């Protein structure tokens, strides 16, 4: 019985090793945190590995810059000219998991015309996990007494292995260098 | 009527020619501008992309600067500057924790050419405690680079800028609290040469004034921490050139030879004070005031704003010691804002005939390095202070403070200042009375060695207890005086007593 | 067999709880970082704070039971190359890391993991500032210029001198070594939202910092606290430095 178990474990291990090359040390997927998407499905953050994506963080009741972040992501995705490559994924994670539930996120995606794929709206399981995700992405935010947030605004480009390939704080218009970086990263896959 | 018209026409025709003539004279004073462009037009400021291999900038360690650029095209220049927090002496026997660019105050001198693309690397040494950044006044961009160079200890930041404007600019750290970072010595100069370079001179030197705030008094011995309240109230303890009292005196004085031209790049890091910069015995032939493109001529004293700089060119004609001061004069003599330029060479009596100006102007603070003073301070702290130590230290202090009136050999000045040499007045004096003279001063008539003197000796309130003890021990053991020893504790006791009305006896 | 496991688990739990935590009451506190970005004070629920920062010894015990955090095992995304670089090896402290010195050269992720292992978390900036404002007799000593000067003195010395052991004077709550030993991580270090150019006090770029803009710092004569804010704002979560350690708190 023991030998059978051992054998099965070895097989699993070997299969696992064949399926995935080790994750690079600088990959943001090294952080073990869970996300819950707009459909209510939970999965580990590292499941996004394999996709080239633009990531940012936001909250749905934000009226100032967050709509501009979303628009900038749309604009950027449109400007990317990479024929024959896999499409660019776009991920938005909320700072405010308490109020941005799955249905709130779904609503938001509908109102702002964010079809899934390539868009994905998600929240973390807890405010502490949101802090960790922001930390690994290098984003800053603080919650104000009235429930609003102060936060930095950046678009972050992750390559398929989860390394930060580029970042831009240009919001409201295109950043040509960022677009080039996306095209290069897509071509490298 | 027609004659009037023709006169007007003639003058109108002459006018441009006159202006042109005046202008070309002015042009000789100003750094020339690229043909076809005015100083403010982009055509002259942005010279296009860098050419050739990237250059690793050679930085200047104060008071020296890197050599002139000598290049006729814009290039990419890589500047690497490391922030080091370290404890260094600020005055003899006094230490302070400085935060420095490149290990010195002021920080390393950076020299590039207008139009260069500068790739700036700011490193924060791992042993440092504080984060730092840099704001270069020559950068056109947010915060002068401060926003892009915020660096934690053990890390390095990089940003790139194009040097669009020629001039001499201050750079400094801009991390909160900014005043403290600047007050601790985080400033320096960057020279952006105009495309055709600066006129050639024989010597170029780098001087930067700064005000320092310590919780202890001026020259109070030991390690002194930064005094935030004094800094906010703008009451400095020290005002210094190049971060340390005596940094440009004695064997560290600047040097030149008769007939040579000297250029001083002088900055003012502040954080608070404006400088009235003057070189005693010299006139600045040209001052590129505020570090800009135009020069004023024949200037005695020039203002350098806090966070500003200026460049002065002058020719030295006669030998001697020329003293650099902030002409807000108490800063020079009571806070340390004093440096020296020693010029050697043949005399020219037709220009200046008299003796050297040394002993009168220099007052207390510019004698040779007060080495014996710091030995005595150390010995005192270790409890091993000997009479000999005191005499040696007292001799150096006497030369700086007392010899001005009582003369170097204690012979005094007939009818004005009583002698100290073989003085019967001193010989029969009680020790407490003797101590009270430098502490509280002496007024009224005294008879010394058969002569009457009626003068005013002011209290020497800048002297500390151990300095008074050493000076008195030296005087008692010199020039035929009876000998003896005065200790710091004895001085302290007398200081604690109020000055009495009978002091004039 | 099960009984042995249970006892072993209890013992392990006990040694983790062996670190002392002192309670601090709820408070309304005037922070240098106003809660609404303008002037509002911070409101805090009661919490318990670790009396000492985490020591090398305690951190060594942690990495023995949590091998993912051993020196050499941690990926670059979670701790940079300086992680525990002063330790002789992954399991031996060595002469540059004395057991009773506060552990330094640990990243924010590492500090979080340690606090989790003792059923605690990192303090928020407000909790930390509130505890650090107290001296041995007063809950808020910040108005005392001499106290401010003493605290400021530590920042004036470079960290090239040997780190002292824990065990300084306790403040009025019984917490030690908040001032004068090491910088300390807080949970929301990346919420301090001070512009990297610290002179941008007003009129901050509202597209850079959505909302009220970069935080305006109050109490500008409280240099020591301003420097803490500046230091924490300069860090990334994976950074480690020589003078940066941490302690934990528990919500009560």
């Amino acid at each position: 019985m023991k030998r059978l178990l051992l054998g099965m474990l070895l097989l699993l291990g070997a299969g696992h090793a064949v399926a995935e090359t080790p994750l690079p040390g600088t990959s943001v997927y090294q952080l073990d945190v869970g996300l819950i998407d707009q459909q209510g499905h939970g999965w580990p953050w590292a499941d996004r590995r394999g996709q080239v994506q633009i990531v940012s963080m936001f909250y749905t009741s934000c009226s100032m810059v967050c709509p501009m972040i979303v628009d900038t992501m749309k604009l950027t995705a449109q400007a990317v000219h990479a024929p024959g490559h896999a499409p660019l994924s776009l991920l938005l994670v909320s700072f405010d998991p308490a109020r941005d539930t799955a249905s709130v996120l779904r609503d938001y995606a509908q109102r702002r015309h964010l079809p899934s794929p390539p868009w994905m709206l998600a929240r973390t399981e807890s405010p502490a996990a949101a802090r960790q995700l922001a930390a690994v992405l290098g984003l800053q935010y603080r919650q104000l007494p009235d429930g609003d947030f102060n936060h930095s605004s950046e678009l972050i480009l992750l390559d398929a292995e989860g390394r930060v390939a580029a970042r831009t704080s240009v919001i409201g218009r295109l950043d040509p260098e960022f677009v080039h970086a996306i095209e290069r990263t897509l071509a490298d896959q | 009527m027609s004659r009037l018209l023709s006169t007007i026409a003639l003058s109108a025709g002459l006018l441009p020619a006159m202006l042109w003539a005046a202008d070309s004279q002015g042009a000789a004073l100003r750094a020339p501008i690229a043909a076809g462009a005015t100083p403010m037009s982009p055509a002259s400021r942005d010279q296009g992309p860098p050419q050739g291999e990237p250059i690793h900038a050679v930085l200047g360690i104060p008071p020296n600067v890197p050599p002139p650029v000598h290049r006729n095209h814009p290039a990419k220049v890589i500047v690497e500057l490391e922030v080091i927090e370290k404890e260094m002496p600020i005055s003899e026997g006094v230490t302070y924790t400085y935060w420095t660019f490149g290990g010195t105050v002021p920080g390393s001198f950076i020299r590039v050419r207008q139009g260069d693309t500068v790739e700036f690397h700011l490193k924060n040494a791992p042993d440092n405690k504080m984060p730092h950044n840099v704001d270069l006044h020559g950068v056109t961009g947010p915060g002068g680079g401060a926003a892009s160079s915020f660096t934690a200890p053990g890390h390095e930041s990089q940003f790139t800028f194009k040097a669009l404007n020629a001039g001499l600019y201050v750079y400094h750290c801009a991390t909160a609290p900014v005043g403290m970072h600047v007050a601790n010595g985080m400033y320096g100069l960057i020279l952006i040469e105009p495309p055709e370079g600066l006129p050639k001179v024989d010597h170029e030197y780098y001087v930067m004034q700064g005000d320092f705030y310590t919780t202890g008094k001026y020259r109070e011995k030991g390690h002194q921490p930064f005094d935030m309240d004094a800094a906010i109230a703008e009451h400095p303890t020290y005002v210094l050139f190049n971060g340390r009292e005596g940094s440009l005196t004695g064997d560290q004085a600047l040097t030149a030879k008769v007939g040579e031209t000297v250029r001083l790049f002088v900055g003012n890091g502040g954080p608070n004070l404006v400088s009235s910069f003057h070189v005693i015995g010299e006139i600045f032939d040209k001052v590129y005031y505020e570090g800009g493109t135009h020069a004023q001529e024949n200037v005695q004293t020039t203002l350098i704003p806090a966070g500003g700089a200026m460049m002065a060119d002058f020719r030295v004609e006669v030998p001697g010691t020329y003293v650099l001061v902030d002409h807000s004069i108490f800063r020079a003599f009571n806070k340390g804002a004093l440096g020296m330029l020693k010029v050697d060479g043949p005399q020219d009596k037709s220009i200046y005939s008299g003796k050297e100006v040394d002993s009168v102007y220099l007052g207390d603070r510019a004698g040779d390095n007060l080495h014996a003073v710091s030995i005595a301070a150390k010995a005192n702290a270790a409890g091993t202070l000997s009479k000999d130590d005191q005499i040696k230290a007292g001799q150096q202090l006497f030369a700086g403070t007392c010899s001005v009136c009582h003369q170097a050999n204690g012979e005094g000045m007939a009818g004005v200042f009583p002698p100290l040499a073989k003085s019967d007045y001193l010989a029969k004096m009680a020790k407490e009375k003797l101590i009270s003279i430098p502490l509280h001063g002496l007024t009224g008539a005294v008879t010394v060695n058969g002569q009457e003197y009626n003068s005013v000796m002011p209290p020497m309130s800048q002297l500390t207890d151990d300095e008074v003890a050493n000076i008195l021990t030296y005087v008692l053991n010199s020039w035929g005086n009876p000998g003896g020893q005065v200790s710091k504790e004895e001085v302290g006791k007398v200081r604690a007593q109020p000055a009495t009305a009978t002091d004039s006896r | 067999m099960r009984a042995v496991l249970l006892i072993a688990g209890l013992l392990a739990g006990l040694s983790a709880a062996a670190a002392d935590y002192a309670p601090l009451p709820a408070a309304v506190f005037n922070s240098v970082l106003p809660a609404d970005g303008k002037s509002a004070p911070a409101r805090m629920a009661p919490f318990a704070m670790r009396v000492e920062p985490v020591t090398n010894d305690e951190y060594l015990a942690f990495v023995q039971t949590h091998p993912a955090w051993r020196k050499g095992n941690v990926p670059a995304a979670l701790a940079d190359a300086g992680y525990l670089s002063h330790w002789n090896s992954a399991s031996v402290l060595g002469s540059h890391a004395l057991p009773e010195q506060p552990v330094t050269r640990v990243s924010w992720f590492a500090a979080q993991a340690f606090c989790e292992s003792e059923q605690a978390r990192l303090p928020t900036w407000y909790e930390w500032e509130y505890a650090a404002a107290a001296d041995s007799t007063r809950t808020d000593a910040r108005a005392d210029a001499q106290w401010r000067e003493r605290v400021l003195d530590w920042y004036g010395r470079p960290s090239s001198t040997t780190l002292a052991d824990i065990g300084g004077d306790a403040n009025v709550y019984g917490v030690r070594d908040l001032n004068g030993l090491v910088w300390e991580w807080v949970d929301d270090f990346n919420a301090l939202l001070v512009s990297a150019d610290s002179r941008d006090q007003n009129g901050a770029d509202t597209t850079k910092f959505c909302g009220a803009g970069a935080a305006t710092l109050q109490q500008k004569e409280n240099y020591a606290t301003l420097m803490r804010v500046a230091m924490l704002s300069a860090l990334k979560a994976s950074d480690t430095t020589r003078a940066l350690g941490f302690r934990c708190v528990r919500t009560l």
Side-chain angles (χ1 to χ4, degrees):
Chain A
M1 181 62 182
K2 244 191 248 182
R3 223 177 289 165
L4 184 56
L5 271 172
L6 201 61
M8 280 173 66
L9 270 170
L10 272 172
L11 262 175
L12 272 172
H16 193 78
V18 162
E20 290 184 20
T21 52
L23 195 60
T26 50
S27 167
V28 297
Y29 300 128
Q30 293 283 2
L31 177 69
D32 187 14
V33 76
L35 291 182
I36 303 165
D37 64 22
Q38 66 217 65
Q39 308 305 330
H41 300 138
W43 31 269
W45 154 241
D47 269 15
R48 297 291 286 183
R49 184 181 181 188
Q51 305 182 43
V52 174
Q53 55 186 333
I54 304 180
V55 184
S56 190
M57 290 185 77
F58 81 125
Y59 63 110
T60 58
S61 43
C62 165
S63 50
M64 293 223 295
V65 174
C66 305
M68 283 171 70
I69 293 181
V70 175
D71 284 336
T72 312
M73 285 170 77
K74 276 191 198 170
L75 205 61
T76 309
Q78 269 164 14
V80 169
H81 192 67
H85 291 290
L88 181 65
S89 298
L90 302 151
L91 175 64
L92 276 173
V93 184
S94 169
F95 293 119
D96 194 6
R99 288 190 301 187
D100 287 341
T101 60
S103 60
V104 170
L105 291 175
R106 256 199 320 271
D107 237 9
Y108 190 85
Q110 248 181 357
R111 272 186 291 121
R112 304 296 322 273
H113 304 296
L114 309 175
S116 191
W119 286 91
M120 171 72 75
L121 272 57
R123 52 179 277 261
T124 54
E125 287 154 353
S126 65
R131 177 74 57 195
Q132 288 194 317
L133 191 65
V136 87
L137 291 172
L139 293 171
Q140 298 180 303
Y141 71 98
R142 79 195 266 108
Q143 185 159 31
L144 302 172
D146 59 3
D148 266 345
F149 287 84
N150 265 7
H151 61 95
S152 59
S153 321
E154 276 184 283
L155 304 189
I156 296 159
L157 174 68
L158 295 179
D159 69 11
E161 290 292 272
R163 288 171 293 217
V164 175
R167 27 188 351 132
T168 179
S169 50
V170 172
I171 304 291
R173 54 178 210 284
L174 272 181
D175 179 351
E177 269 187 44
F178 191 64
V179 173
H180 288 321
I182 299 172
E183 290 169 346
R184 272 198 310 271
T185 311
L186 284 172
D188 282 343
Q189 299 314 314
Chain B
M1 187 59 179
S2 65
R3 209 183 298 167
L4 181 61
L5 275 173
S6 52
T7 316
I8 292 171
L10 205 61
S11 337
L14 278 172
L15 200 59
M18 280 162 52
L19 281 175
W20 182 84
D23 193 63
S24 63
Q25 231 189 9
L29 301 177
R30 290 195 306 273
I33 305 150
T38 63
M40 294 317 278
S41 79
S44 70
R45 291 199 309 169
D46 189 339
Q47 315 232 322
Q51 303 166 25
E53 288 298 305
I55 300 171
H56 284 270
V58 169
L59 304 179
I61 309 296
N64 297 308
V65 298
V69 169
H70 281 322
R71 211 187 329 119
N72 58 6
H73 58 266
K76 179 164 190 161
V77 180
I78 299 171
V79 173
E80 301 199 31
L81 202 47
E82 184 183 22
V83 175
I84 304 170
E85 297 169 10
K86 62 202 276 204
E87 204 170 291
M88 296 194 284
I90 188 170
S91 183
E92 286 289 344
V94 191
T95 56
Y96 186 80
T97 300
Y98 293 90
W99 299 345
T100 71
F101 283 109
T104 57
V105 175
S108 312
F109 191 95
I110 306 171
R111 189 168 195 157
V112 298
R113 180 182 181 271
Q114 183 180 5
D116 280 349
T117 298
V118 180
E119 184 183 284
F120 198 99
H121 294 249
L122 185 70
K123 307 175 198 210
N124 194 344
D127 276 355
N128 292 345
K129 219 176 247 164
M130 310 297 302
H132 296 287
N133 62 10
V134 68
D135 169 7
L136 299 114
H137 287 186
V139 170
T140 305
S148 321
S149 56
F150 201 20
T151 314
H155 291 82
E156 177 178 335
S157 294
Q158 176 188 323
F159 68 98
T160 303
F161 67 93
K162 196 170 244 192
L164 293 176
N165 297 61
L168 181 62
Y169 298 96
V170 168
Y171 68 82
H172 63 90
C173 178
T175 302
V178 183
M180 184 173 178
H181 283 250
V182 174
N184 283 349
M186 297 199 76
Y187 43 77
L189 290 181
I190 172 169
L191 172 67
I192 302 178
E193 287 187 4
E196 64 297 321
L198 297 172
K200 186 178 178 321
V201 293
D202 296 305
H203 295 281
E204 290 181 318
Y205 290 115
Y206 172 28
V207 177
M208 200 149 183
Q209 180 173 328
D211 19 297
F212 292 86
Y213 302 83
T214 63
T215 55
K217 290 193 317 209
Y218 175 63
R219 289 186 153 219
E220 188 173 311
K221 307 275 182 278
H223 179 81
Q224 290 296 336
F226 168 69
D227 186 342
M228 181 174 70
D229 290 323
I232 293 173
E234 301 190 28
H235 289 149
T237 321
Y238 296 89
V239 181
L240 303 171
F241 294 126
N242 292 9
R244 183 173 60 85
E245 191 163 11
S247 64
L248 299 175
T249 65
D251 18 304
Q252 275 143 336
L254 308 177
T255 57
K257 292 202 175 14
V258 166
E260 289 185 325
T261 46
V262 176
R263 172 173 295 141
L264 296 180
F265 296 105
V266 187
N268 184 2
N272 288 323
L273 304 189
V274 172
S275 174
S276 305
F277 189 76
H278 174 82
V279 176
I280 303 178
E282 255 303 336
I283 297 156
F284 301 131
D285 297 330
K286 287 211 193 90
V287 170
Y288 293 84
Y289 47 88
E290 297 171 356
T293 313
H294 299 283
Q296 176 62 284
E297 293 187 324
N298 302 326
V299 175
Q300 59 189 295
T301 303
T302 185
L303 281 174
I304 312 178
M310 70 89 187
M311 203 168 85
D313 290 358
F314 54 97
R315 198 183 145 91
V316 288
E317 313 283 4
V318 281
T321 301
Y322 298 90
V323 184
L324 284 61
V325 294
D326 180 339
H327 217 290
S328 293
I329 210 68
F330 277 91
R331 296 177 195 173
F333 297 127
N334 292 75
K335 294 197 165 81
L338 193 148
M340 280 150 65
L341 168 66
K342 285 200 172 123
V343 177
D344 290 319
Q347 302 260 13
D348 187 346
K349 300 274 188 188
S350 70
I351 296 180
Y352 187 80
S353 68
K355 289 194 288 205
E356 285 207 356
V357 187
D358 277 344
S359 56
V360 176
Y361 273 100
L362 300 182
D364 309 280
R365 300 294 164 221
D368 289 332
N369 307 334
L370 297 166
H371 192 54
V373 175
S374 66
I375 288 184
K378 281 202 196 89
N380 199 16
T384 58
L385 187 66
S386 74
K387 193 153 113 175
D388 250 353
D389 289 334
Q390 283 196 283
I391 291 175
K392 287 210 188 71
Q395 182 175 23
Q396 290 193 337
L397 290 162
F398 183 92
T401 306
C402 318
S403 65
V404 180
C405 301
H406 293 290
Q407 303 308 307
N409 290 327
E411 67 261 26
M413 210 178 274
V416 186
F417 304 124
L420 303 174
K422 209 156 186 195
S423 160
D424 59 0
Y425 183 71
L426 290 182
K428 58 176 168 20
M429 186 178 291
K431 201 187 256 191
E432 267 166 33
K433 180 71 206 295
L434 176 67
I435 292 172
S436 75
I437 296 179
L439 286 187
H440 304 307
L442 189 62
T443 48
V446 298
T447 308
V448 183
N449 295 351
Q451 285 235 305
E452 198 182 275
Y453 298 86
N454 195 339
S455 205
V456 176
M457 170 164 162
M460 297 286 119
S461 45
Q462 78 279 24
L463 294 176
T464 58
D465 288 353
D466 57 296
E467 286 173 338
V468 171
N470 295 343
I471 290 175
L472 290 176
T473 306
Y474 168 68
V475 168
L476 286 175
N477 289 281
S478 305
W479 322 301
N481 281 326
Q485 194 175 5
V486 177
S487 78
K488 178 180 168 182
E489 290 72 32
E490 289 169 324
V491 177
K493 279 207 203 94
V494 176
R495 192 192 286 278
Q497 296 156 13
T500 60
T502 56
D503 253 11
S504 58
R505 278 301 104 230
Chain C
M1 177 62 183
R2 212 183 286 174
V4 172
L5 281 172
L6 202 63
I7 292 171
L10 266 172
L11 280 172
L14 272 177
S15 59
D20 276 335
Y21 279 70
L24 281 87
V28 174
F29 176 71
N30 277 321
S31 162
V32 301
L33 288 172
D36 61 354
K38 291 187 202 56
S39 58
R43 288 167 191 284
M44 265 154 313
F47 64 100
M49 178 174 261
R50 212 175 195 275
V51 160
E52 293 281 17
V54 175
T55 61
N56 278 317
D57 217 18
E58 291 166 327
Y59 199 77
L60 179 61
F62 164 70
V63 299
Q64 311 286 43
T65 50
H66 294 75
W69 288 103
R70 298 181 74 195
K71 171 173 163 168
N73 281 0
V74 185
L78 302 180
D80 68 19
Y83 180 65
L84 297 179
S85 54
H86 58 311
W87 283 20
N88 258 10
S89 75
S91 46
V92 174
L93 293 179
S95 54
H96 294 290
L98 301 175
E100 290 300 293
Q101 285 174 338
V103 69
T104 57
R105 294 204 176 95
V106 285
S107 70
W108 181 78
F109 292 109
Q112 281 216 317
F114 178 96
C115 290
E116 224 178 85
S117 78
E118 51 178 51
Q119 292 78 48
R121 56 174 174 81
L122 283 174
T124 63
W125 163 260
Y126 287 142
E127 288 169 339
W128 198 94
E129 193 192 356
Y130 162 53
D135 71 0
S136 54
T137 52
R138 299 168 281 192
T139 56
D140 191 348
R142 294 175 302 166
D144 181 355
Q146 283 202 331
W147 179 85
R148 290 201 308 261
E149 189 67 46
R150 273 203 306 275
V151 171
L152 192 64
D153 194 26
W154 175 67
Y155 299 90
R157 294 188 176 263
S159 55
S160 45
T161 49
T162 317
L163 197 50
D165 284 354
I166 59 166
D169 290 333
N171 71 10
V172 79
Y173 304 115
V175 180
R176 302 173 194 279
D177 294 322
L178 284 163
N179 293 305
L181 195 48
V182 285
W183 301 104
E184 295 189 9
W185 282 111
V186 294
D187 182 62
D188 51 349
F189 78 100
N190 64 349
L192 303 180
L193 279 185
V194 177
S195 160
D197 184 343
S198 319
R199 299 160 298 177
D200 281 357
Q201 291 295 298
N202 300 305
D205 185 354
T206 47
T207 53
K208 181 158 196 267
F209 290 123
C210 170
T216 307
L217 296 172
Q218 311 274 58
Q219 294 181 32
K220 297 210 172 70
E221 73 285 355
N222 195 342
Y223 272 18
T225 311
L226 294 188
M227 291 202 281
R228 286 214 177 242
V229 173
M231 177 61 177
L232 291 170
S233 309
L235 295 168
K236 297 191 303 292
S238 54
D239 282 349
T240 67
T241 99
R242 199 178 185 276
L244 175 65
F246 70 102
R247 71 178 72 215
C248 313
V249 301
R250 291 183 180 131
T251 315
L252 281 177

